[in-house]
Amino acid sequence: MRYVSTRGQAAPASLSQAIAAGLAPDGGLYVPEAMPKVGALPRDGYLATTASRMLAPFFADDPLAAELDAICAEAFAAPAPRRELRIDGGHLLELFHGPTAAFKDFGARFLAACLTRLRRDENHPLTILVATSGDTGAAVGAAFHEVPGVRVAILYPDNRVSPRQAHQLGSFGGNVRALRVEGSFDDCQRLVKGALGDATLQADVPMSSANSISLGRLLPQMAYFGHAALQAASPMNTIVPTGNLGNAVACLWAKQTGLPIGEVVFACNANETLPEFYAGQPYRARDAVPTIANAMDVGAPSNFERLRHLFGNEDEARRHGHAERVDDAEIRDTIRRHAANDGEVFCPHTATAIRVFERLRLRGDTRAWTMASTAHPAKFDTIVEPLVGKRVEVPDPLAIMLARSASAEPMAADGRIFADWLRHW
Ligand SMILES: *Cc1c(COP(=O)(O)O)cnc(C)c1O
């Protein structure tokens, strides 16, 4: 299997090359040259086993293929259960049972498992850059912490992540450093993309990315959607809380390989780049606005390039998806109401998907839907606890991380200052 850039100006790459590079040399994102079809899979397999079989065609002809079982065993150590909600016809796909209590653990651990195998004999450390709106950084930090030959710079928008997220990001130390950037998540993304695309800087400081632009994070995210869909009675209609479009594109890729996934709907917060696009307006990236579902505060979703590439053009993309906007007041109302009525406590991101599901019901849609639950509510205690009127129990792995001390360094949203910082690390 070969991988090509969404911008079409870079030579095709092998899987290993694409994963090691992060971003294609023309600034585009790597996508499979052709989407393979996945053969029949057992309905009741273990997540790690199913993931390995599902991803095998993507690893064909690559040196990493021999390691795929081991990579999946490391990445899919936590379960991703799909369970019934008390809301009629609704299921929740719980993706928050990993070490940092958000779905990004799966992708980060998979990428780490791949990169450590690819870099085994190198003398130079590889610097992983990760821009985060909250959860990615912690997942990547946890996945690479104390891994030899690799170091991680986490960039997050200062004051725009939850206190517990900030604590997690700064809690690693050693080979993982946290930078609190004066700006938005999009500023963080610009710094990372700028550094990765700077050939002179690359020569001094070998770098790769761990954002959802990285193929090594996107591929494994297909696996839990596929695994869940195999368990559903009919093609699994799915609502995905969406920011940078990584999880949603992974779900669409899984569908394209022939897995039984039905409609895919993107639940967005007040950042309406995607809802506007799906309502028929031209795609227009913009600055992010802060919301209480902060890991989705994205105004210029990077994976939009992959979405457009997948369907060939924007009109075709619109025919295969749908996005809805959920504002903070609706998120709060959803969390409050479910805690009171059925005892379910959702994180603000998951609540956007629940809200979209409720709207579908109000419009007369009677189909079964599965909502991706992207984080544990305890990560957002300062928002969730006042709404539900009680303490939200902290899962063990999160409690361990919160018990450590934490610190982050300030960073201006300025590419030259950031490049300098990297050179002097
Ligand atoms: C990152 C994140 C999202 C958005 O996922 P994308 O892949 O960026 O669309 C949603 N919810 C949570 C909790 C997240 O951490």
Side-chain angles (χ1 to χ4, degrees):
M1 167 69 67
R2 294 198 308 171
Y3 293 83
V4 296
S5 164
T6 47
R7 299 198 184 165
Q9 304 295 315
S14 70
L15 176 77
S16 291
Q17 288 165 339
I19 288 179
L23 197 66
D26 62 355
L29 311 187
Y30 282 114
V31 295
E33 190 167 41
M35 200 55 81
K37 290 288 172 208
V38 170
L41 292 170
R43 294 173 63 97
D44 53 358
Y46 286 111
L47 176 59
T49 316
T50 305
S52 182
R53 295 191 45 191
M54 202 180 297
L55 296 175
F58 292 87
F59 277 63
D61 314 321
D62 195 87
L64 282 178
E67 308 261 7
L68 181 57
D69 282 345
I71 292 167
C72 287
E74 285 171 31
F76 295 99
R82 175 178 175 271
R83 67 172 175 90
E84 204 168 344
L85 286 171
R86 271 188 245 163
I87 324 165
D88 178 38
H91 282 78
L92 202 67
L93 175 56
E94 293 184 351
L95 302 175
F96 53 68
H97 295 287
T100 71
F103 78 89
K104 297 196 172 85
D105 282 320
F106 290 112
R109 295 174 71 79
F110 192 91
L111 177 66
C114 291
L115 280 179
T116 48
R117 284 169 174 81
L118 291 173
R119 296 284 302 185
R120 212 167 251 166
D121 303 321
E122 297 278 341
N123 302 325
H124 280 74
L126 176 68
T127 303
I128 310 274
L129 303 183
V130 53
T132 183
S133 52
D135 290 327
T136 296
V140 172
F144 286 100
H145 191 215
E146 290 172 351
V147 171
V150 184
R151 55 190 196 174
V152 178
I154 301 171
L155 290 80
Y156 70 91
D158 199 9
N159 293 320
R160 296 207 193 171
V161 303
S162 84
R164 279 190 180 161
Q165 283 178 317
H167 190 102
Q168 274 191 318
L169 295 170
S171 73
F172 299 104
N175 65 331
V176 180
R177 285 168 78 173
L179 300 175
R180 44 187 179 86
V181 174
E182 288 165 35
S184 67
F185 170 65
D186 293 312
D187 291 318
C188 298
Q189 280 210 123
R190 267 194 290 276
L191 288 180
V192 167
K193 279 194 172 184
L196 290 171
D198 179 342
T200 335
L201 183 61
Q202 273 282 5
D204 296 343
V205 185
M207 292 173 291
S208 186
S209 117
N211 275 82
S212 55
I213 53 178
S214 169
L215 193 63
R217 281 191 45 201
L218 212 73
L219 291 175
Q221 293 177 354
M222 298 166 58
Y224 46 71
F225 287 116
H227 182 253
L230 289 164
Q231 297 161 12
S234 52
M236 185 177 80
N237 299 311
T238 311
I239 307 175
V240 186
T242 293
N244 221 3
L245 267 172
N247 219 13
V249 165
C251 186
L252 289 168
W253 280 11
K255 178 177 177 175
Q256 293 266 323
T257 65
L259 286 157
I261 292 170
E263 260 193 66
V264 182
V265 173
F266 312 148
C268 300
N269 60 22
N271 287 278
E272 43 192 0
T273 305
L274 293 170
E276 264 187 28
F277 169 76
Y278 280 99
Q281 296 181 44
Y283 176 77
R284 186 171 66 81
R286 67 203 73 187
D287 287 342
V289 298
T291 75
I292 58 169
N294 65 338
M296 292 155 48
D297 290 351
V298 183
S302 341
N303 282 294
F304 187 76
E305 282 195 42
R306 283 195 169 112
L307 190 74
R308 188 165 41 202
H309 190 273
L310 180 63
F311 296 112
N313 63 56
E314 296 191 355
D315 283 339
E316 201 54 30
R318 280 196 194 91
R319 268 195 283 281
H320 292 272
H322 171 65
E324 296 209 10
R325 171 188 191 277
V326 180
D327 67 25
D328 278 357
E330 293 169 298
I331 293 174
R332 287 203 171 88
D333 170 72
T334 305
I335 295 173
R336 193 185 291 121
R337 207 161 22 77
H338 282 286
N341 294 351
D342 47 47
E344 293 282 358
V345 178
F346 300 116
C347 90
H349 313 80
T350 305
T352 65
I354 300 292
R355 186 65 166 212
V356 169
F357 173 60
E358 290 172 337
R359 281 189 200 154
L360 287 165
R361 283 286 178 269
L362 285 173
R363 289 181 207 140
D365 184 299
T366 57
R367 293 171 296 173
W369 288 88
T370 296
M371 281 63 74
S373 181
T374 48
H376 192 284
K379 269 191 117 158
F380 306 93
D381 58 317
T382 53
I383 294 160
V384 173
E385 287 182 352
L387 294 170
V388 306
K390 60 169 192 206
R391 273 210 59 211
V392 178
E393 200 161 328
V394 179
D396 287 346
L398 186 58
I400 292 167
M401 220 166 269
L402 294 175
R404 296 194 207 133
S405 68
S407 71
E409 301 160 55
M411 173 59 60
D414 180 320
R416 268 174 312 182
I417 296 176
F418 180 49
D420 231 45
W421 183 88
L422 282 168
R423 284 202 170 89
H424 289 99
W425 184 352

